[in-house]
Amino acid sequence: MIYSERFECMKRDELRLVQGERLKDAVRRAYENVPFYRKKFDEHGVKPSHIQSIDDIRKLPFTMKDDFRETYPFGLFAVPLRDIIRLHVSSGTTGKPTVVGYTREDLDLWAETIARTLACGGGTADDVLQVAYGYGLFTGGLGVHYGGEKLGATVIPMSGGNTKKQLMLMQDFGTTLLACTPSYALQIAEEAAAEGIDLKKMKLRTGYFGAESWTEAMRKQIEQRLPLKAIDIYGLSEVIGPGVASECLEQDGLHVFEDHFYPEIINPETGEPVEPGQKGELVFTCLTKRAIPLIRYRTRDISCLNEQACPCGRTSRRMERVSGRTDDMLIIRGVNVFPTQIEEVLMKVEGVEPQYLIIVDKTGTLAELEIKVEVSEGIFSDEVKKLEALRKRIFDEMRSMLSISAKITLVEPKSIERALGKAKRVEIRTVK
Amino acid sequence: MKVKQLSIFMENRAGRMAEIARQLGEARINIRALSLADTSDFGILRLIVNDVDKAMKILKDSGHTVSLTEVVAVEVPDSPGGLASVLEPLRAGGVNVEYMYAFVEKATDKAVVIFRFEDIDAAVKVLAKAKISVLPAETVYKL
């Protein structure tokens, strides 16, 4: 089912007109109501009247993550606080957190794009949706929750954690749709195996996985262990939360809900648009959001856009699975590596479960890379030479695929910390 | 005839052995034979115990990676040349030994050698042909 055929299947040229009109309005609202944007536009020498079509978006300056911090807490809001009916806060690893606000219209819009997301994965009002994203300041739980209700599904607001109970409700309520982080999906599978629960007997049909970067190999693992289609969903709180883009059942790129969130791909070094289809940094403009009319927000996520029509009938452009973050990039002795690439390699080596930790040791003169890999029963052997061979195979694969030389350490199962929300995969050690 | 041996993955960290020994001790499990293969980072602890299934469950429940391996226990005279008398027919029969360890029986003048063979069935045939006494599993668990 396509939730909003009118917009999701709109002819491209018609969509561009809609986007142009909406952009004009968003820029005007930003300029008139947000002193931060008025100043920024003035400095950049651009006036709302300069924006006549969607192509004019390139005349506008970028908004950066730091702009949220500098205007903390409410400096980017275009409406008075009495019109804001919800706040969400994303965890800031450094400095102040990022605060986003929503008007009533914004929450309706958000529920709509989540309903579209759920429908993209085949969800309908007949489904039972278990939301295992965290509820609270994080946008994941509540965001998916209201979209599920809007779709008319039976929503179980389980939140993250308490895996035993997750499994009980899943069995007893006949959950068909599961929404959580991909690493938590694997944790659920692990717990089920430990408890002797046969997941194949569950009614699960679609999993909506996002909020952290994951890989094709991880998708295969999840789909092997859980009886569901694993759908990649994308969003970030600065834009709205989950519900910015979603894969359909074709599992070939994420449809961007671009009548609301206009995507661009730029070269992160120069800020210039890349050639169509090329990889670069994703940039989003919120065309319709009232509380924060976000203009050309640099996500730091690396992706590319596919303009080809999708067999599912949706005409929206599809973004490729995010392959890394411009700021997650590790530089190991001059070689650029993304943690997701290391994960791909690990999973390619047969039988290695996706539990690993990348340690970048910068305490010496040269950065040293160590990768800790948990030894599961699938790869364990009672013979030293076989374990050594496994370690060597991982080492060789890393060197041939990524041109990095990493110390591979085999560690005991469950010795790498499991996070309920986002999985911590990288540890940087520096001189204190 | 085939003896079940537990193999446990261990990181080379202080106290890992102690923890496993404590857990098994609390469950009244008696260790019959033991060997530790180690590298600079990790080790593989191999145990023969009186109650394999119970030990396996306890170790798995506490989060260890454990596997069951079939090994063969052979009784050899506890005297010079005892071990050689067993190894020679194995060599002649083209049987490959992955690893082995030995201990001395308390009440007799025999030693017991635990063998892990690449091909356990072929090895058992060779041993039988050479009339070398292979200990029944039950006997080993009770030693």
Side-chain angles (χ1 to χ4, degrees):
Chain A
M1 186 194 76
I2 294 174
Y3 189 79
S4 170
E5 267 198 55
R6 178 167 169 229
F7 287 106
E8 291 178 84
C9 304
M10 194 175 253
K11 287 199 175 66
R12 295 292 316 168
D13 48 356
E14 195 184 337
L15 179 62
R16 289 173 56 76
L17 290 178
V18 170
Q19 288 168 332
E21 285 310 306
R22 288 181 172 179
L23 177 66
K24 272 158 54 177
D25 180 55
V27 169
R28 189 186 47 74
R29 282 185 285 115
Y31 190 79
E32 286 174 5
N33 304 322
V34 187
F36 165 85
Y37 271 126
R38 175 184 290 260
K39 183 164 167 271
K40 195 157 190 156
F41 288 8
D42 285 345
E43 281 167 6
H44 208 74
V46 57
K47 296 266 176 263
S49 59
H50 296 162
I51 306 301
Q52 292 303 320
S53 78
I54 192 66
D55 290 329
D56 292 328
I57 197 165
R58 286 162 61 173
K59 296 175 182 167
L60 296 164
F62 294 113
T63 308
M64 316 295 279
K65 177 91 179 170
D66 276 346
D67 294 333
F68 276 88
R69 296 200 184 108
E70 276 159 29
T71 58
Y72 177 87
F74 305 141
L76 288 177
F77 290 7
V79 299
L81 214 52
R82 65 160 292 128
D83 292 337
I84 301 279
I85 63 168
R86 173 98 62 84
L87 294 173
H88 278 287
V89 181
S90 75
S91 50
T93 40
T94 49
K96 294 278 191 192
T98 301
V99 182
V100 287
Y102 301 79
T103 66
R104 193 170 296 283
E105 297 102 302
D106 291 342
L107 289 184
D108 285 344
L109 155 68
W110 193 11
E112 150 103 21
T113 60
I114 290 288
R116 289 185 190 182
T117 299
L118 295 171
C120 268
T124 69
D126 295 325
D127 278 299
V128 178
L129 168 67
Q130 188 158 333
V131 182
Y133 284 114
Y135 278 64
L137 292 175
F138 173 50
T139 51
L142 287 166
V144 174
H145 179 99
Y146 285 98
E149 289 188 355
K150 179 139 187 150
L151 182 69
T154 308
V155 179
I156 310 169
M158 177 65 214
S159 194
N162 203 347
T163 313
K164 282 191 173 69
K165 191 160 193 178
Q166 300 269 9
L167 282 163
M168 186 185 88
L169 299 189
M170 210 175 272
Q171 271 179 316
D172 296 350
F173 297 173
T175 300
T176 54
L177 311 178
L178 172 67
C180 62
T181 58
S183 59
Y184 191 58
L186 281 175
Q187 211 173 317
I188 289 176
E190 262 180 38
E191 180 74 32
E195 298 272 302
I197 296 170
D198 185 4
L199 284 168
K200 302 282 178 213
K201 289 195 180 127
M202 299 262 188
K203 290 187 178 167
L204 290 172
R205 196 157 52 88
T206 306
Y208 300 89
F209 303 127
E212 66 188 16
S213 61
W214 55 310
T215 60
E216 260 333 288
M218 198 160 164
R219 160 147 52 206
K220 285 205 188 83
Q221 286 245 341
I222 292 173
E223 290 188 339
Q224 257 169 27
R225 299 176 70 169
L226 293 158
L228 48 72
K229 251 196 156 175
I231 296 286
D232 189 13
I233 67 171
Y234 176 81
L236 61 170
S237 62
E238 295 90 324
V239 175
I240 198 154
V244 175
S246 172
E247 278 183 342
C248 60
L249 291 170
E250 301 290 327
Q251 294 178 309
D252 183 21
L254 295 81
H255 289 279
V256 178
F257 303 123
E258 56 170 317
D259 50 325
H260 296 294
F261 314 114
Y262 186 81
E264 295 172 85
I265 302 283
I266 61 159
N267 176 333
E269 307 282 319
T270 63
E272 290 300 313
V274 298
E275 294 296 315
Q278 292 297 300
K279 272 196 184 201
E281 181 179 351
L282 253 179
V283 172
F284 278 106
T285 298
C286 294
L287 300 174
T288 52
K289 223 171 63 171
R290 315 303 293 187
I292 303 179
L294 194 63
I295 305 292
R296 300 194 88 196
Y297 180 66
R298 292 183 61 159
T299 64
R300 293 162 297 150
D301 285 332
I302 306 285
S303 180
C304 60
L305 290 172
N306 178 358
E307 306 198 359
Q308 278 165 3
C310 180
C312 76
R314 290 175 183 84
T315 54
S316 44
R317 281 179 289 176
R318 282 171 285 160
M319 56 177 266
E320 187 181 79
R321 172 193 291 282
V322 170
S323 57
R325 288 175 71 79
T326 54
D327 52 357
D328 276 354
M329 194 170 73
L330 303 170
I331 303 174
I332 311 295
R333 303 191 176 190
V335 181
N336 297 348
V337 193
F338 288 105
T340 45
Q341 291 177 298
I342 291 177
E343 185 170 328
E344 290 272 9
V345 171
L346 276 179
M347 278 187 257
K348 238 195 74 195
V349 178
E350 194 189 350
V352 176
E353 279 197 40
Q355 291 303 344
Y356 64 93
L357 180 68
I358 301 163
I359 298 166
V360 184
D361 189 342
K362 294 183 175 172
T363 51
T365 39
L366 287 167
E368 301 279 355
L369 185 65
E370 178 183 358
I371 302 167
K372 288 190 169 182
V373 184
E374 284 189 7
V375 174
S376 64
E377 266 162 40
I379 56 172
F380 178 53
S381 162
D382 64 309
E383 292 172 46
V384 171
K385 68 177 179 195
K386 288 195 182 147
L387 286 180
E388 288 291 6
L390 171 77
R391 181 154 78 169
K392 184 163 186 314
R393 204 157 76 233
I394 297 172
F395 177 86
D396 290 345
E397 286 284 330
M398 291 290 168
R399 197 164 50 182
S400 69
M401 304 289 293
L402 306 177
S403 315
I404 52 170
S405 198
K407 177 178 192 280
I408 310 296
T409 308
L410 301 177
V411 298
E412 287 173 24
K414 312 261 161 84
S415 62
I416 294 172
E417 196 186 332
R418 304 287 201 277
L420 290 179
K422 303 190 179 193
K424 190 189 167 207
R425 297 301 196 191
V426 182
E427 182 182 317
I428 312 268
R429 289 181 187 157
T430 49
V431 184
K432 295 247 157 56
Chain B
M1 182 147 315
K2 293 173 190 168
V3 178
K4 284 179 180 159
Q5 170 201 273
L6 292 171
S7 306
I8 304 137
F9 181 80
M10 279 193 335
E11 282 171 51
N12 273 5
R13 274 194 281 129
R16 301 303 289 146
M17 266 293 265
E19 193 208 311
I20 290 172
R22 181 186 55 76
Q23 283 174 348
L24 294 177
E26 280 171 5
R28 312 295 305 155
I29 285 170
N30 211 341
I31 297 170
R32 317 304 342 180
L34 161 161
S35 128
L36 180 68
D38 68 315
T39 72
S40 57
D41 295 320
F42 65 85
I44 302 168
L45 176 64
R46 297 155 186 157
L47 295 177
I48 290 173
V49 296
N50 60 343
D51 188 340
V52 180
D53 297 333
K54 190 172 166 196
M56 178 104 171
K57 187 172 182 320
I58 287 163
L59 293 170
K60 276 198 173 185
D61 286 352
S62 61
H64 290 94
T65 295
V66 191
S67 72
L68 269 184
T69 313
E70 288 188 325
V71 294
V72 174
V74 175
E75 218 170 29
V76 301
D78 185 13
S79 58
L83 180 61
S85 68
V86 177
L87 289 178
E88 180 49 33
L90 289 171
R91 185 199 62 79
V95 172
N96 211 350
V97 177
E98 293 291 351
Y99 56 80
M100 51 182 276
Y101 50 102
F103 57 99
V104 177
E105 274 183 73
K106 274 177 274 188
T108 68
D109 56 353
K110 298 282 175 68
V112 174
V113 184
I114 307 284
F115 285 100
R116 162 81 153 99
F117 295 112
E118 200 175 75
D119 183 343
I120 189 166
D121 295 318
V124 168
K125 271 183 207 151
V126 168
L127 289 169
K129 222 173 124 192
K131 301 206 166 34
I132 290 168
S133 81
V134 172
L135 289 175
E138 287 313 312
T139 311
V140 179
Y141 301 145
K142 284 184 204 141
L143 280 175

